[in-house]
Amino acid sequence: IGSVSGVFQWNGSVFRRFGPATSIEGITQTPDGSLIFLTANGLFRFVQNQFEPFPTGKAVNYRLDLLADRDGGLWMATIGNGIFHMYEGRLDQMTRVNGLSGDSVLSLFEDREENVWVGTDRGLDRFRDLPLTTFSKSEGLSSDAATSVFPAKQGGVWVGTARSEEHTSEIQS
């Protein structure tokens, strides 16, 4: 459990505190089972009950969401700087300049077909083996701001938008 005062593990009867007393802003688990934490002080990997810095090779202000995909890639959301994707030691940044729907990333999700969905302040983007597909108001969403993404039982995704007076959109993948 990530909180403003660190990381806690619940064993069924008691909480145990780990790591630095810093705000935990995101947690993700890599395919090998290790945990990566997004804190106010950067990224950390949890190894043998200890926190160690997780190097990205570039100072980035990650502040919203973190996702480790099934291929071993790490997706890092930012406010105003798009998204960063780290894979096999390479760090790439995607913004509106190179096709992302918006520069403020609000949500991340990987579906069962290994598509990574990125909700931004201006739309919804789908990454499939890195080609980018953007969904926004132009493609039928009720608003450009995709504030949440969740899997549909039939195989698509549910998309929550900033406008509540219209119905929720479902996109089939």
Side-chain angles (χ1 to χ4, degrees):
I1 300 169
S3 74
V4 295
S5 59
V7 176
F8 296 83
Q9 181 184 52
W10 173 253
N11 70 5
S13 61
V14 68
F15 284 105
R16 181 174 172 201
R17 188 175 173 284
F18 290 93
T22 186
S23 179
I24 303 299
E25 299 174 16
I27 302 172
T28 192
Q29 187 172 23
T30 63
D32 69 4
S34 62
L35 297 174
I36 298 176
F37 293 89
L38 169 63
T39 75
N41 300 320
L43 291 172
F44 292 87
R45 183 188 314 253
F46 192 62
V47 179
Q48 298 176 350
N49 292 334
Q50 297 291 322
F51 281 84
E52 62 181 37
F54 185 84
T56 59
K58 183 177 183 178
V60 180
N61 183 17
Y62 323 103
R63 283 296 178 258
L64 260 167
D65 210 351
L66 191 60
L67 172 73
D69 66 28
R70 285 176 238 168
D71 290 332
L74 182 63
W75 300 78
M76 298 159 273
T78 73
I79 297 295
N81 291 311
I83 192 162
F84 286 83
H85 178 248
M86 184 174 211
Y87 183 70
E88 295 182 346
R90 179 180 169 168
L91 184 67
D92 294 307
Q93 180 180 16
M94 289 155 266
T95 65
R96 286 193 74 192
V97 170
N98 52 4
L100 196 66
S101 62
D103 286 336
S104 291
V105 177
L106 307 174
S107 57
L108 297 169
F109 169 73
E110 182 180 21
D111 68 19
R112 66 178 177 219
E113 295 170 355
E114 298 184 16
N115 296 304
V116 172
W117 296 85
V118 178
T120 76
D121 60 335
R122 303 183 127 236
L124 178 67
D125 304 300
R126 177 178 60 187
F127 290 84
R128 273 189 185 185
D129 291 327
L130 237 39
L132 172 66
T133 304
T134 298
F135 297 94
S136 66
K137 198 170 181 179
S138 300
E139 288 76 34
L141 292 180
S142 60
S143 169
D144 282 338
T147 57
S148 60
V149 183
F150 194 78
K153 289 182 181 180
Q154 296 76 25
V157 294
W158 288 99
V159 181
T161 64
R163 291 184 60 190
S164 61
E165 65 270 7
E166 296 189 30
H167 68 298
T168 304
S169 302
E170 182 178 2
I171 297 172
Q172 292 295 324
S173 52

